[in-house]
Amino acid sequence: MNQSDLMAVRRTMNLNGTWQFQLAGQAGESGEQRNKEQQNPPHRDDASWNTIQVPGSWEEQGYGQAPEYARIDTWTKVREYEGLAWYAQDIDVPSNAQQANYVFRLKGVRWTSRLWFNGNEAGERDSLLTEQTWDVTPWVIPGETNRVEILVDNTMKLPLAGSHIHSLHTATAWGGITGGALLEMLPLQQVHNVRIEPDMGSGTITVQCAVSNPAAFSASPLQLLIDIQHPDGTWLKRQSCEIDLDQNQIDVNTEVNADGSSRAHQDVYMALCPIALGDEHAIVEWSDENPALYRAVIRLQEGEQELDQVEQRFGMRSFAAKGKQLVLNGTPVFLRGYVDCCIFPLTGYPVWDYDHYVRQFRIAKSYGFNHVRLHGWSPPEPFWEAADEEGMLVQAELPHWSRFFEQQDVPAPVEIRTYLTQELDRLLETLHRHPSFVLFSLGNELIGANGHPELNALIERAREKDPSRLYTDNTGFGQLPAQDRETDYYIQSFNWHPPLESVLAAVPDTTLNYQSVTRLASQPVIGHEHAQFTMYVRPQEREKYTGVLRPTWLEPVEESLTRKGMMEKLEQYQRATGIHLMRSLKEAMERVRRTPDAAGIQLLDIRDFPGQGHATTGFLDVFWDDKGITTPDEVKQFNMDVVVLLSSKARTYYAGETIEIDVIGSHYGKKRLEDVTVHWRMVAVTDERTLDEGTWNCRDIPCGSVMSLGSVKVSAPIGGGTAFRVEAELRCHRARENSAHSIVHSSDRLATVTVARNCWYGWSFPLMKMDSDRHADMKRIWNTVKELQPLLVQSHEDRVDHVDGFRLLKQGDYDLLIVKSLTSNVLDYLLNGGRVWLHPSAMDLSDPVETKYLPVFWNYLMFATQTGATMGMQMEKGAAFLGDFPQDGASDWHWYHLVNGTPAICLDTVQGVTPLIEVVDHFHRAKRLAYVFEARAGKGRILVSSFPFTDTALMKRPEAAYLFQEMLSYVCGEQFQPESAITAAELLGMFKLQPIQFTL
């Protein structure tokens, strides 16, 4: 088939380029002044005219003023302007041999625009999510120069500032025409409102469209000719459809239609054309793995004359809810999603760049993601074209994050309901043709515990307009079981929803899942803004901000770090906290995959978030660049359609104990896995030795299942402290096709394919046995902490009140004094040459800092009351004081019970002391914190640790007992030679001096 030239029947004048421009009244000016400015456009010869480029924002072209202050909780523009601005351009409209409809279009406008065409006011438009269009047919003068004038107002028209489409924390209060301007000439007899509805069950499509035929035209027979191009490039047999001018006329109003043209004084006919696609070629389904697109060319004919022609791409796909599962093309699909918060660090507004979105999706898919949730916005058309082509499953949202729907019996303001209804209608009509568009939410975190009748009404309206999508009343809020909520699926927090808590979002127990939430619903449940773990700030990204935004949150952070001498440790902090983030994220995501009836997750985010104090939640920065803390292959181990999971109650074991690890298959691939085998091995981390291995056959794994495949039973390694990992692979002979992470084992007798692999880390420690050869002579230890006495057999036990430093040093019978609190006699003993191990509790510290194992949730500035606002710990690899205790310099799961809830010691008043185990504080506060430090004090030496070794229950854990032994060996040995020094005053400033009872 030869393609016809669309320009033969439709013409488009690209109006991008240089326009006249002038600012016309800021937001702070009086209403009287602004109304006066809005009366009529300035004269073409007005001396105030400047120029501007369309597309583009005002700020990036030098308009606006430098802000009066720099924000510390988000970025700041180089310049900004909120108010009115005039655009004008003279355009030469070519003469036409035939009559036509003329439609004027603006793309990427925030927020309202008013149009004058040849001096005639055409009206105001206010869509944030779709094109703003006008039918200007009555005022166009073909063959002459036509004057176009536009008044754009970027001020907040409605109290919806929380939406990310214009929040200061995300897309900013931008202004301008950022997508372009054009004038279309459309034939009077035309095709419009094309909808192509796939029916996967029958293998057919229905082409539905409206045909306009002016009443004054003759009622000659009209025909639609439809050509379909298969994804392989071949064309199917042409289909035709007669337009019955006597039967199919529909009622229309005189409002402007979706394409901008008016149907007033026209007869409009509905055409329904069913087409079987499978007669000539096999039908190719559109999916996240195979985003195959068909192309339809629809011609309106009168005899041999072509009156109009339109094109539309479509995908053959179905998307539905079936019980608690989401089903794509009849097969369960797990949404591996992230949240897109409308972040554009160079422009401050959503870009109209197809390549930008292709890059974005390819990066996301390289890490295993197949889904993106749009947080309170819907992007420009290039985004959707790229999503269709790259295979992303998208949830769009209305542009608000408001509080108008929290109370069921309180209606939202009329103007809010009207605006949201209009945006809903416009968006659903615009997005219908995109197969990537599968889910829709009415906004972010809108409701209280229960639903709202006005949101329910909008859901019903959406279903009526487009029943091929799934809808929910809001993203994130509301309680399950749901009451008074009209939804197809739910998006609920897996971490915050009762009975769960965010501090338990990831723990060492890898048998846990989120069924306590999903069991409360009979429909699909997706995890809302999952994880939100953070790492350290990255000032090196400052140089990337070459556009209109500056990362002003960095200035106070860098100033603080510089004044405290912490900038030199920046790379160490970034490495340690980046590792900690990914370890926490892996477990939080695997916990969802262990949940049999979870439908998906939406991470917040895989990129950093620039606002709310700068939330460093991403393994990518805001520019979609790698931060160097993980790799795509590492993430895909727990973030693909097929995942193998290793499940065990504990991470730490005594040497020789039996470890039982359940192997779970989470299979959301497109085909049943048959002839499945599990291959596993245990590896020593230090030297990569294989300690044990095995394999077994297991039953087939159906699509959409989360099931146990059997268990690994193995003995914990014997010896000293040992870090090990258990690796598992799923292999099968008949796996799904086109697996991006499959590896063919051609050396096998029958070729097999590895469809998933993953690993799980554990640690083993010998039973506690104090050995005087290694841990010193217990009789030479004076212990005043009664909780430690079971560990220090044969040591001298006595009250701290009885410590006589002069006598102890003179007699030389004791090498170490163990105390819980700092007292005057202990200080005296230390300064005169004693060796002290201090175990302070939070009550003993002058400035205790609460910690938890998991990193800061989202951001301290927004969640300042969260438990333990620290970011993990960092230490030297092979640190002598840890002996053989296995560690790699960063937080890992065998530290969890040692540090979760443990107070950190603040070293801000002792700059010369270097922590042995440093607690990385959040970068806004940037305290110098430690769990362990050592120092010389006078003639003596002191080791301080806040680990809860005095907790008898904790000391029954293998890692706690072993760490205590290793630290005891160190503090009693010759290696205990602190380099830094501390004064008595500094000690008294850090620790509360506890009284003792003197004997008179």
Side-chain angles (χ1 to χ4, degrees):
M1 190 200 88
N2 295 323
Q3 299 182 37
S4 296
D5 182 6
L6 290 179
M7 296 298 289
V9 290
R10 292 185 176 218
R11 297 181 184 176
T12 300
M13 290 184 62
N14 186 337
L15 304 181
N16 293 345
T18 303
W19 285 63
Q20 289 181 288
F21 180 79
Q22 61 175 280
L23 302 179
Q26 289 186 276
E29 296 181 355
S30 69
E32 180 180 349
Q33 172 66 21
R34 294 182 64 193
N35 288 335
K36 180 179 178 181
E37 294 287 349
Q38 293 180 32
Q39 290 301 313
N40 291 295
H43 192 275
R44 71 179 66 230
D45 297 325
D46 191 301
S48 299
W49 283 119
N50 293 298
T51 60
I52 198 170
Q53 293 297 308
V54 173
S57 74
W58 304 336
E59 300 93 335
E60 64 187 341
Q61 298 188 66
Y63 292 99
Q65 297 177 339
E68 297 179 356
Y69 60 94
R71 303 180 183 276
I72 68 166
D73 64 337
T74 188
W75 46 26
T76 305
K77 283 188 173 180
V78 175
R79 62 191 70 85
E80 55 190 17
Y81 176 82
E82 291 188 63
L84 308 173
W86 285 104
Y87 289 76
Q89 190 181 79
D90 293 321
I91 60 175
D92 294 324
V93 179
S95 59
N96 297 313
Q98 299 176 341
Q99 288 182 297
N101 283 322
Y102 290 88
V103 178
F104 186 82
R105 300 181 183 275
L106 292 179
K107 302 179 180 181
V109 180
R110 180 187 176 273
W111 184 341
T112 63
S113 59
R114 295 173 66 189
L115 174 69
W116 283 258
F117 208 97
N118 285 329
N120 300 282
E121 184 172 355
E124 184 176 82
R125 302 292 183 265
D126 65 354
S127 179
L128 280 170
L129 305 182
T130 61
E131 295 180 0
Q132 298 184 0
T133 61
W134 295 260
D135 182 353
V136 293
T137 305
W139 308 299
V140 173
I141 306 174
E144 296 187 14
T145 299
N146 291 249
R147 180 75 170 172
V148 178
E149 293 148 323
I150 307 167
L151 181 66
V152 174
D153 186 347
N154 78 332
T155 56
M156 289 300 300
K157 295 303 176 187
L158 295 168
L160 300 174
S163 169
H164 284 350
I165 190 64
H166 45 207
S167 163
L168 291 177
H169 297 277
T170 50
T172 76
W174 51 276
I177 303 170
T178 62
L182 55 93
L183 179 67
E184 281 189 328
M185 184 192 79
L186 305 175
L188 296 184
Q189 292 173 288
Q190 64 175 275
V191 177
H192 53 92
N193 294 354
V194 175
R195 295 170 73 98
I196 299 177
E197 305 284 0
D199 185 332
M200 300 297 294
S202 63
T204 64
I205 61 170
T206 299
V207 178
Q208 173 183 313
C209 61
V211 175
S212 291
N213 189 44
F217 279 49
S218 64
S220 301
L222 300 179
Q223 185 182 45
L224 290 179
L225 301 180
I226 304 173
D227 293 291
I228 305 293
Q229 187 178 33
H230 192 272
D232 66 9
T234 59
W235 291 88
L236 307 184
K237 181 181 179 181
R238 172 174 284 179
Q239 304 291 317
S240 63
C241 178
E242 300 295 330
I243 307 299
D244 190 339
L245 300 181
D246 296 323
Q247 298 293 327
N248 294 339
Q249 186 171 355
I250 60 176
D251 294 329
V252 297
N253 56 35
T254 57
E255 297 296 323
V256 174
N257 287 266
D259 63 1
S261 59
S262 173
R263 309 300 173 206
H265 312 298
Q266 294 189 20
D267 293 334
V268 179
Y269 302 87
M270 181 60 64
L272 293 173
C273 305
I275 299 174
L277 292 186
D279 293 346
E280 300 174 66
H281 291 71
I283 294 174
V284 181
E285 297 175 343
W286 185 98
S287 71
D288 53 325
E289 292 185 348
N290 184 39
L293 292 170
Y294 288 80
R295 175 176 166 228
V297 179
I298 303 166
R299 294 175 171 83
L300 179 63
Q301 300 272 141
E302 182 179 15
E304 296 299 318
Q305 181 183 3
E306 183 173 309
L307 305 176
D308 193 17
Q309 180 189 135
V310 295
E311 286 191 13
Q312 189 171 119
R313 297 192 305 179
F314 66 93
M316 288 297 292
R317 71 112 181 93
S318 63
F319 193 83
K322 185 177 181 181
K324 294 189 178 185
Q325 290 186 323
L326 296 170
V327 178
L328 175 64
N329 301 329
T331 302
V333 63
F334 186 89
L335 296 185
R336 308 181 301 275
Y338 63 95
V339 179
D340 188 320
C341 293
C342 197
I343 298 168
F344 296 88
L346 297 180
T347 62
Y349 63 79
V351 300
W352 291 71
D353 181 357
Y354 168 82
D355 291 337
H356 171 91
Y357 297 112
V358 168
R359 174 177 179 261
Q360 163 183 329
F361 295 141
R362 289 181 179 176
I363 290 172
K365 296 199 79 171
S366 76
Y367 289 92
F369 292 92
N370 66 353
H371 167 55
V372 55
R373 172 218 164 185
L374 303 168
H375 190 305
W377 72 302
S378 181
E381 180 65 16
F383 170 100
W384 295 102
E385 296 292 340
D388 289 346
E389 294 179 9
E390 297 300 320
M392 290 300 287
L393 303 169
V394 185
Q395 173 183 301
E397 288 183 6
L398 286 180
H400 73 126
W401 179 4
S402 67
R403 295 290 177 259
F404 296 117
F405 301 95
E406 288 185 334
Q407 300 181 49
Q408 280 191 303
D409 57 346
V410 178
V414 173
E415 63 272 19
I416 297 294
R417 297 202 310 270
T418 300
Y419 173 74
L420 294 178
T421 301
Q422 291 173 348
E423 283 287 68
L424 176 67
D425 291 350
R426 291 182 290 226
L427 195 61
L428 291 182
E429 187 160 355
T430 300
L431 296 185
H432 180 270
R433 64 183 177 272
H434 295 292
S436 57
F437 171 44
V438 295
L439 300 173
F440 191 82
S441 169
L442 298 183
N444 180 68
E445 298 176 352
L446 302 179
I447 62 177
N450 302 312
H452 194 284
E454 291 174 347
L455 295 179
N456 291 340
L458 285 176
I459 292 290
E460 292 291 355
R461 185 184 186 94
R463 287 174 178 158
E464 183 178 344
K465 287 188 170 294
D466 188 349
S468 65
R469 270 74 188 190
L470 300 181
Y471 300 96
T472 191
D473 57 357
N474 89 117
T475 302
F477 278 8
Q479 291 290 312
L480 296 178
Q483 308 296 327
D484 298 323
R485 295 180 65 186
E486 189 63 49
T487 65
D488 298 321
Y489 66 103
Y490 299 102
I491 305 176
Q492 304 289 155
S493 174
F494 286 149
N495 297 329
W496 291 85
H497 197 285
L500 303 180
E501 300 178 31
S502 64
V503 293
L504 302 176
V507 295
D509 184 348
T510 57
T511 66
L512 302 177
N513 62 32
Y514 290 107
Q515 272 195 297
S516 58
V517 176
T518 58
R519 69 195 291 256
L520 301 175
S522 58
Q523 292 152 293
V525 180
I526 301 170
H528 173 55
E529 296 183 356
H530 197 59
Q532 303 188 50
F533 305 127
T534 54
M535 63 172 287
Y536 216 67
V537 69
R538 288 167 48 86
Q540 60 264 45
E541 293 169 11
R542 178 194 298 275
E543 63 184 22
K544 296 184 179 182
Y545 286 86
T546 58
V548 299
L549 294 163
R550 295 293 179 267
T552 46
W553 67 76
L554 277 176
E555 295 174 10
V557 171
E558 287 183 294
E559 180 185 14
S560 300
L561 297 180
T562 299
R563 291 188 63 176
K564 300 188 77 168
M566 300 172 74
M567 286 294 287
E568 62 188 27
K569 301 189 76 173
L570 194 60
E571 289 187 9
Q572 297 176 49
Y573 293 159
Q574 290 170 351
R575 174 194 171 274
T577 60
I579 291 172
H580 188 30
L581 182 157
M582 292 309 304
R583 286 172 175 167
S584 302
L585 180 63
K586 181 177 189 290
E587 170 50 26
M589 291 182 70
E590 289 185 351
R591 187 169 175 179
V592 183
R593 292 303 293 263
R594 289 193 296 268
T595 307
D597 50 6
I601 52 173
Q602 295 170 346
L603 286 185
L604 190 61
D605 186 4
I606 60 174
R607 285 194 298 166
D608 291 344
F609 184 87
Q612 300 171 3
H614 187 49
T616 50
T617 55
F619 46 80
L620 305 173
D621 66 20
V622 294
F623 297 89
W624 290 94
D625 292 334
D626 178 18
K627 291 163 69 173
I629 64 173
T630 190
T631 67
D633 286 343
E634 289 173 347
V635 175
K636 284 194 291 188
Q637 286 189 6
F638 53 87
N639 192 45
M640 282 298 288
D641 50 4
V642 184
V643 172
V644 58
L645 304 159
L646 297 163
S647 174
S648 181
K649 294 289 291 183
R651 294 276 193 164
T652 58
Y653 298 86
Y654 285 113
E657 274 191 320
T658 298
I659 304 172
E660 184 168 356
I661 302 174
D662 192 24
V663 179
I664 300 171
S666 175
H667 173 34
Y668 289 90
K670 302 299 185 287
K671 290 187 177 181
R672 183 183 187 91
L673 298 179
E674 301 178 350
D675 301 323
V676 178
T677 58
V678 175
H679 296 252
W680 68 272
R681 68 176 188 139
M682 174 186 280
V683 179
V685 171
T686 52
D687 56 11
E688 294 297 311
R689 284 182 299 114
T690 297
L691 304 176
D692 204 345
E693 61 184 323
T695 184
W696 71 81
N697 298 323
C698 55
R699 52 183 169 157
D700 296 350
I701 308 177
C703 299
S705 63
V706 179
M707 55 187 286
S708 175
L709 305 178
S711 296
V712 171
K713 290 186 179 180
V714 64
S715 296
I718 297 175
T722 303
F724 62 90
R725 70 175 179 271
V726 176
E727 302 171 346
E729 289 187 357
L730 292 189
R731 300 177 186 174
C732 66
H733 297 136
R734 297 177 63 187
R736 63 183 183 80
E737 299 172 358
N738 301 322
S739 176
H741 62 305
S742 297
I743 300 174
V744 177
H745 298 266
S746 58
S747 59
D748 295 349
R749 183 178 178 184
L750 292 174
T752 60
V753 178
T754 296
V755 294
R757 57 160 51 109
N758 205 346
C759 62
W760 174 95
Y761 284 83
W763 294 263
S764 67
F765 303 90
L767 275 168
M768 184 172 189
K769 183 178 181 181
M770 287 299 183
D771 186 336
S772 59
D773 291 338
R774 185 161 179 258
H775 300 107
D777 185 349
M778 295 297 164
K779 294 181 180 180
R780 299 189 62 80
I781 297 174
W782 181 303
N783 174 40
T784 70
V785 183
K786 66 178 181 179
E787 294 89 348
L788 293 177
Q789 193 58 32
L791 311 177
L792 300 173
V793 60
Q794 296 185 340
S795 67
H796 179 75
E797 181 184 10
D798 205 344
R799 293 172 53 190
V800 71
D801 308 62
H802 298 162
V803 171
D804 182 341
F806 175 78
R807 181 174 59 85
L808 294 180
L809 291 172
K810 184 175 182 180
Q811 294 176 352
D813 292 334
Y814 298 98
D815 298 326
L816 177 66
L817 174 63
I818 299 178
V819 295
K820 186 186 293 186
S821 304
L822 187 65
T823 61
S824 58
N825 57 341
V826 170
L827 181 61
D828 183 61
Y829 170 72
L830 171 65
L831 296 176
N832 280 280
R835 187 185 300 207
V836 175
W837 188 1
L838 176 61
H839 296 260
S841 67
M843 294 185 297
D844 298 306
L845 299 173
S846 296
D847 186 15
V849 174
E850 183 182 35
T851 74
K852 66 175 182 290
Y853 175 81
L854 293 178
V856 169
F857 175 85
W858 188 239
N859 186 274
Y860 174 77
L861 293 189
M862 187 169 182
F863 295 96
T865 59
Q866 65 179 279
T867 302
T870 52
M871 312 188 88
M873 55 187 180
Q874 74 95 23
M875 67 214 82
E876 290 185 9
K877 294 181 181 179
F881 79 99
L882 292 175
D884 291 331
F885 189 85
Q887 55 90 12
D888 63 359
S891 297
D892 213 337
W893 293 109
H894 62 314
W895 290 101
Y896 181 90
H897 295 285
L898 286 159
V899 304
N900 195 48
T902 296
I905 307 161
C906 183
L907 302 180
D908 278 349
T909 59
V910 285
Q911 294 296 320
V913 172
T914 301
L916 296 178
I917 296 183
E918 183 168 11
V919 182
V920 182
D921 196 17
H922 66 81
F923 47 79
H924 290 105
R925 183 173 58 190
K927 283 179 175 286
R928 296 178 63 249
L929 303 175
Y931 287 132
V932 183
F933 76 90
E934 64 180 7
R936 290 179 288 104
K939 297 178 182 178
R941 289 166 281 176
I942 185 170
L943 178 69
V944 183
S945 63
S946 60
F947 292 135
F949 291 140
T950 58
D951 182 340
T952 304
L954 177 75
M955 297 309 289
K956 306 301 182 183
R957 301 193 61 84
E959 70 274 22
Y962 192 79
L963 179 60
F964 177 81
Q965 293 176 80
E966 295 303 278
M967 292 181 66
L968 178 67
S969 178
Y970 171 76
V971 75
C972 291
E974 295 303 317
Q975 287 184 298
F976 181 39
Q977 300 290 338
E979 296 181 0
S980 56
I982 194 169
T983 67
E986 289 172 328
L987 284 170
L988 292 172
M990 296 171 64
F991 305 104
K992 297 176 183 177
L993 191 68
Q994 302 298 329
I996 62 170
Q997 183 175 356
F998 288 96
T999 302
L1000 300 178

